[in-house]
Amino acid sequence: MRDGTWQCVESNDVFASLENLPPDASKLICSFLLLDDLDTLAVTSKRVHEIAGEVDHLIMDEHVRSLGSPSKMQPAHLTEAGMRKLLQRYKSLNVLRLHGLSAVGDKLIDILNESTSAKTLHKISLHGCSLSYWCSTSLDLENLTDVTIMGGSIRVTFRSIIASTLRLQSLTIGQCSSLRDDNVNEISNKLKTTLESFSLHQCPRVKRLNLQFDKLTRLNLLGCFSLSDLPNFSCPSLKDLCFSFCFRLDGDVIQRIVGSLKVLEQLTLVKCPRLHQLGISSDTLRSLNVSLSTNLHDLSLYCPNLRELEATSCISLRSFHLDSQKIQELILNMMPLQNAEISAPELRNLKLIGCKSLFDATFRCPNLSFVDICGTPLSPDQFREKVKFLKHGVTSLPTPMF
């Protein structure tokens, strides 16, 4: 350090001491370390201990080193006293991720509210926590915008734990087998005007949800196996929607929801067995994934801005219609397609391998450069006859692989 400024100098040392780095740089490096490594580092010197205590990101891994045998790992486990002591050590955290919180119980929220970082925390991730029906303390962290709760048992009503002053923008709840419809509907009522991202992962007891959010742009209901209906659904700002592995969600419900979304850009419907037909007309949709939807037999897409389409293992798909101005690659291998109509001026690569029932097809794809029709009833000459060009001056087509 010279004249109040830091300068980089060449050194042959393999390891540079944190003590010799600029304060902001050393703090940034420590913020990327897991809690286990941070504790190990903090005992090397008084200055490093001070630097470690100033980090704004505190990340606990799912497994930590065993006290008796540091080379062995064991599941993370925090007690009430251990969590209080931990949060007293770090004064200005912005991001906090903790595992193994079941023993803390209902005191979890009290500890967070009373921590020295209560006024600075804006993102928390709590794994394996246990909140009972009798938990009545509200989560009151004035700058909190992002909450993740994964695993454990969540029986408390969200009406009671979400303070009226809380303005959450992102909420993720996952692997909570105790979560029920009324818990989720309370979230909609409480955070209707602020929430922008909402994820429910593998919550098997939710069945019928009333979701109404004014600003929500991302909704992920991955693995909500029992979900069967979404009455009164209203999310006008939604851009990213995932219904993957929602085994009981009827295709008519999916069609109704998708049809109501005017700014949708990404739709993921992996392994939706009750989806039999899907028709989408959207000027905004850019990405669609219907892979493993094994009962889907009719797919019609009028989506001028669609760029990506995944339809792997749609083993019942017989009718396919696509109108897109942006898509450049299309793979429809090993499907029982009987008719296909594709209008895609920018399409370059088309693969129809093993579509042995494809007799009726129309292709308006003037820029095709690679075509693979191995295993189809179409000969190269028959394929050329079915290609209709949209641009003047196009007189030839690359020889299809056959």
Side-chain angles (χ1 to χ4, degrees):
M1 183 174 182
R2 295 179 181 175
D3 302 326
T5 61
W6 291 91
Q7 296 180 348
C8 294
V9 296
E10 186 176 351
S11 172
N12 293 324
D13 294 340
V14 179
F15 300 102
S17 172
L18 282 174
E19 298 173 336
N20 298 329
L21 293 174
D24 288 345
S26 57
K27 180 179 175 181
L28 179 63
I29 291 171
C30 287
S31 291
F32 282 95
L33 299 178
L34 296 174
L35 177 59
D36 247 12
D37 300 321
L38 204 57
D39 287 343
T40 301
L41 186 67
V43 300
T44 58
S45 74
K46 181 179 179 180
R47 175 58 186 146
V48 174
H49 185 274
E50 292 173 353
I51 294 172
E54 295 171 356
V55 297
D56 54 16
H57 286 55
L58 185 61
I59 310 297
M60 173 186 278
D61 200 7
E62 187 175 359
H63 291 83
V64 296
R65 295 188 186 94
S66 172
L67 293 177
S69 178
S71 62
K72 295 183 179 180
M73 304 298 287
Q74 64 182 12
H77 178 75
L78 272 177
T79 62
E80 178 184 341
M83 184 174 176
R84 288 187 185 276
K85 183 178 180 181
L86 177 66
L87 294 186
Q88 285 173 358
R89 195 190 320 166
Y90 301 94
K91 309 297 183 182
S92 56
L93 295 173
N94 293 330
V95 178
L96 175 66
R97 187 178 79 190
L98 299 176
H99 287 264
L101 296 170
S102 59
V104 180
D106 292 349
K107 288 294 184 179
L108 172 65
I109 296 178
D110 287 318
I111 295 172
L112 290 171
N113 289 342
E114 296 166 6
S115 70
T116 55
S117 298
K119 294 184 180 297
T120 59
L121 278 171
H122 66 79
K123 181 177 181 179
I124 59 175
S125 183
L126 309 172
H127 298 250
C129 51
S130 178
L131 298 174
S132 72
Y133 291 112
W134 296 277
C135 180
S136 58
T137 307
S138 296
L139 190 60
D140 194 8
L141 306 174
E142 59 186 59
N143 291 306
L144 189 65
T145 59
D146 190 324
V147 174
T148 296
I149 300 175
M150 298 291 288
S153 175
I154 309 298
R155 299 184 181 276
V156 64
T157 61
F158 280 87
R159 180 178 63 253
S160 62
I161 66 170
I162 298 177
S164 58
T165 56
L166 208 58
R167 293 291 180 265
L168 285 186
Q169 297 175 6
S170 177
L171 177 60
T172 298
I173 303 173
Q175 300 170 5
C176 291
S177 59
S178 58
L179 195 72
R180 298 179 184 271
D181 295 352
D182 54 350
N183 298 82
V184 180
N185 293 336
E186 286 168 359
I187 296 171
S188 179
N189 295 333
K190 199 86 172 186
L191 302 173
K192 179 179 180 181
T193 60
T194 62
L195 205 61
E196 297 177 8
S197 176
F198 185 32
S199 298
L200 290 180
H201 295 162
Q202 300 177 38
C203 296
R205 293 195 179 186
V206 296
K207 298 178 180 179
R208 184 180 172 89
L209 302 179
N210 289 304
L211 301 182
Q212 298 181 2
F213 298 99
D214 296 340
K215 297 181 179 180
L216 197 72
T217 59
R218 182 175 182 272
L219 176 62
N220 190 336
L221 300 176
L222 173 72
C224 291
F225 310 121
S226 300
L227 182 66
S228 60
D229 198 7
L230 292 158
N232 306 315
F233 182 91
S234 177
C235 299
S237 302
L238 200 62
K239 295 182 178 181
D240 186 346
L241 174 62
C242 176
F243 283 142
S244 295
F245 298 93
C246 292
F247 296 146
R248 297 188 180 181
L249 195 61
D250 194 76
D252 292 340
V253 177
I254 295 175
Q255 183 72 68
R256 171 173 57 82
I257 299 299
V258 172
S260 71
L261 301 174
K262 305 305 180 184
V263 294
L264 188 65
E265 295 181 359
Q266 182 167 332
L267 178 61
T268 308
L269 302 171
V270 174
K271 194 65 175 179
C272 292
R274 294 201 174 191
L275 182 64
H276 298 285
Q277 57 185 17
L278 180 64
I280 302 177
S281 178
S282 171
D283 292 333
T284 59
L285 190 67
R286 296 172 178 269
S287 175
L288 173 64
N289 190 342
V290 292
S291 297
L292 300 172
S293 293
T294 53
N295 293 318
L296 179 64
H297 60 76
D298 188 342
L299 181 60
S300 298
L301 305 172
Y302 178 78
C303 304
N305 289 299
L306 188 70
R307 298 173 182 270
E308 298 178 4
L309 174 62
E310 282 282 342
T312 305
S313 299
C314 290
I315 57 175
S316 299
L317 190 63
R318 294 180 176 82
S319 179
F320 178 73
H321 300 269
L322 171 66
D323 192 331
S324 169
Q325 304 296 311
K326 301 293 185 180
I327 197 166
Q328 296 188 6
E329 182 177 55
L330 187 58
I331 299 175
L332 300 172
N333 294 337
M334 307 304 295
M335 295 183 187
L337 282 175
Q338 296 177 358
N339 67 82
E341 184 175 347
I342 300 172
S343 178
E346 296 300 318
L347 189 66
R348 302 293 196 275
N349 299 329
L350 176 62
K351 294 184 180 181
L352 299 168
I353 299 172
C355 296
K356 58 184 179 181
S357 300
L358 186 61
F359 291 95
D360 182 12
T362 301
F363 305 97
R364 301 182 182 90
C365 310
N367 288 307
L368 275 175
S369 59
F370 178 86
V371 180
D372 194 335
I373 54 174
C374 292
T376 71
L378 301 174
S379 67
D381 290 337
Q382 289 174 324
F383 180 82
R384 287 192 182 89
E385 291 175 1
K386 294 181 180 294
V387 176
K388 299 179 180 178
F389 299 116
L390 297 178
K391 294 196 303 187
H392 296 293
V394 180
T395 58
S396 63
L397 180 73
T399 302
M401 296 182 66
F402 181 74

